[in-house]
């Protein structure tokens, strides 16, 4: 069974997609940008600030789907500049700690000028 999820308190999608989709025991979280969930506005800043917003939004989406960051098995991180990798990685480590999912990091150009990071993920959380 496939469920399209829009948990309360998470940023509204900027296009025709769901913040998350549960397919069986897997939860797929759409790429999240630096959006303040309280104002639903993009909040550009340094890479640490943007990474904290992005991972905070992913955490809220997962919690709304009955999962947590420790259930994440895969992340894809898109950064705008390779020079930002170390600072992004530092914040990323604060959120995931010892629960280290697999990850790919890609340097990319974003549609929104000035944006520095976007992250998507896949979590595994069997329904009880």
């Amino acid at each position: 069974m496939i469920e399209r999820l829009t948990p309360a308190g998470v940023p509204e999608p900027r296009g025709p997609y769901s913040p998350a989709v549960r397919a069986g025991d897997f939860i797929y979280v759409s790429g999240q940008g630096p959006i303040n969930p309280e104002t639903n506005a993009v909040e550009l800043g340094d890479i640490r600030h943007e990474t904290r917003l992005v991972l905070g939004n992913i955490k809220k989406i997962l919690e709304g789907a009955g999962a947590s960051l420790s259930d994440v098995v895969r992340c894809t991180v898109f950064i705008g500049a390779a020079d930002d990798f170390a600072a992004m990685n530092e914040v990323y480590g604060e959120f995931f700690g010892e629960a280290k999912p697999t990850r790919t990091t890609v340097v990319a150009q974003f549609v929104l000028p000035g944006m520095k990071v976007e992250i998507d993920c896949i979590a595994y959380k069997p329904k009880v």
Side-chain angles (χ1 to χ4, degrees):
M1 178 158 104
I2 296 175
E3 299 173 71
R4 283 146 181 69
L5 308 170
T6 304
V10 302
E12 293 177 22
R14 298 283 197 258
Y17 61 88
S18 298
V21 172
R22 178 183 273 280
D25 292 336
F26 288 93
I27 301 164
Y28 299 84
V29 177
S30 293
Q32 297 298 303
I35 299 169
N36 181 324
E38 293 176 16
T39 63
N40 205 43
V42 174
E43 259 188 33
L44 300 178
D46 67 21
I47 190 72
R48 286 179 177 87
H49 170 75
E50 289 191 21
T51 303
R52 281 190 182 90
L53 274 175
V54 167
L55 290 172
N57 289 335
I58 288 173
K59 182 178 183 228
K60 286 180 185 178
I61 290 168
L62 288 169
E63 288 170 351
S68 70
L69 288 173
S70 65
D71 297 311
V72 174
V73 296
R74 172 106 174 104
C75 284
T76 306
V77 177
F78 301 92
I79 57 176
D83 291 346
D84 283 336
F85 178 81
M88 175 281 299
N89 202 45
E90 177 185 310
V91 174
Y92 183 95
E94 292 171 11
F95 277 80
F96 285 101
E98 292 304 311
K100 297 175 180 144
T102 64
R103 182 179 83 188
T104 299
T105 304
V106 179
V107 175
Q109 182 176 355
F110 298 108
V111 173
L112 179 63
M115 193 166 120
K116 293 175 181 59
V117 64
E118 181 174 354
I119 302 173
D120 66 23
C121 72
I122 302 168
Y124 178 76
K125 183 68 175 184
K127 278 190 152 182
V128 181

